[in-house]
Each structure stands twice: as C-alpha cells, then as structure tokens.
C-alpha cells in the first residue's frame, strides 16, 4: 500500500489546531484524503499523519514561522491511515486575537506534478542526513529555499 493517493483538484484540505498542534477542526475533504472517519482526527496531535520521508527541518521551519506569528508555505508528504501517501501544497498560518496567537490553521491544495517532483528530490537530499544551512529566505516558498540549498550542496 505504499502508493500515492490522489484527490480532485478542487479539494480544500483544511485543519485548525490549538497551540500545541492538537487538531480542533478537520474539513471533510481533509478527513477523507487522510483516510479517517468524520471527526476522528479531532483531538489528535497533527503528527499522526506525518510521513517518515518528511525531513525534520521542514517542520522546524514551519514551527519557527508560526510561533513567530508568520505564515509558512511548503510541500508536505503525508501518510494515510491505509499506508498510502499524498502530497499537499500547504499554507499554514497563525490566528491571533488581541495580538495573541490562539490557534493555527493550514489550508492545502493538490500540488502540480512539477512541484511534487522537485520536493521529492530536495527532501531526499535532506533526509540523507545532510544538515542544511538555516532556512533564511522567509519570503520564498519552502521548496524553492530547499532547492537552493540542495544546489549549493551539488556545487552549483
Ligand atoms: C496548522 C498545522 C498544520 C500541520 N500540518 C501537518 C501536516 O499536514 N502533516 C504533518 O506531518 N505535520 C503537520 N504539522 C506539523 C506537526 O504538528 C508536527 O510538527 C510534524 O508532523 C512533525 O512531527 P514531530 O513534531 O513530532 O516531529 C502541522 C502543524 C500545524 C500547526
């Protein structure tokens, strides 16, 4: 069951978490794509859908942005309950009230095949244990920053 699971382009995969990443809301599309029953994801920490191919640095970057009140964009490979995987193009952001962050939200859509191919390459390089430089280009997409880092390693 290590196949890629795909889903319609119009799907909006949304989740909302508390500050500790426990899921408070999961949209019907997200629940379906993740392979869960209605409301089954609510109350779980978000790492229940983590895929082992995802490099740690991607999530450190996500958390660094969110905890500093900034949005984060990037490609994420997730694991379904049946063991298949699916790619998402994610836009995660903090939600604040009176200048205090009180929850986080991620809105995901189906990525292009080109972006999936690029992310696969870059994440494989990072997962080989090569420590990337600090991800210092906050206004670009994560895959672009990681591509630049991988290009440095390749000696370009
Ligand atoms: C709003 C939000 C959305 C997230 N979405 C995902 C996701 O789709 N997949 C994922 O593996 N982690 C996601 N995370 C990150 C997880 O909380 C977690 O950091 C990650 O799975 C790595 O697990 P670890 O922190 O236990 O190493 C999300 C976090 C937040 C706050």
């Amino acid at each position: 069951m290590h196949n890629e699971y795909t889903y319609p382009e119009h799907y909006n995969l949304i989740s909302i978490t508390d500050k500790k990443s426990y899921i408070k809301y999961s949209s019907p599309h997200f629940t379906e794509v993740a392979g869960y029953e209605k409301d089954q994801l609510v109350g779980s920490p978000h790492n229940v859908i983590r895929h082992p191919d995802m490099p740690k640095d991607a999530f450190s970057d996500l958390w660094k942005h969110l905890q500093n009140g900034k949005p984060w964009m990037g490609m994420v490979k997730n694991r379904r309950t049946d063991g298949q995987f699916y790619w998402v193009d994610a836009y995660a952001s903090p939600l604040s009230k009176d200048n205090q962050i009180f929850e986080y939200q991620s809105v995901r859509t189906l990525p292009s095949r080109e972006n999936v191919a690029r992310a696969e390459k870059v994440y494989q390089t990072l997962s080989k244990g090569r420590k990337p430089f600090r991800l210092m280009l906050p206004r670009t997409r994560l895959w672009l920053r990681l591509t630049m880092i991988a290009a440095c390693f390749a000696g370009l």
Side-chain angles (χ1 to χ4, degrees), residues 15-23 30 45-51 54-56 59-60 62-63 66 72 76-79 86 88 90-94 103-108:
S15 61
I16 297 178
T17 75
D18 66 13
K19 287 180 72 180
K20 291 186 171 163
S21 96
Y22 284 86
I23 298 172
F30 187 52
H46 224 311
N47 63 6
V48 289
I49 60 165
R50 180 183 183 163
H51 193 283
M54 277 301 289
K56 250 176 46 190
F59 294 119
S60 323
L62 166 106
W63 280 106
L66 295 183
W72 179 92
V76 181
K77 182 178 185 174
N78 281 330
R79 190 179 174 283
Y86 58 96
V88 297
Y91 179 83
S93 53
E103 61 187 17
Y104 300 116
Q105 169 184 281
S106 181
V107 180
R108 311 165 182 84

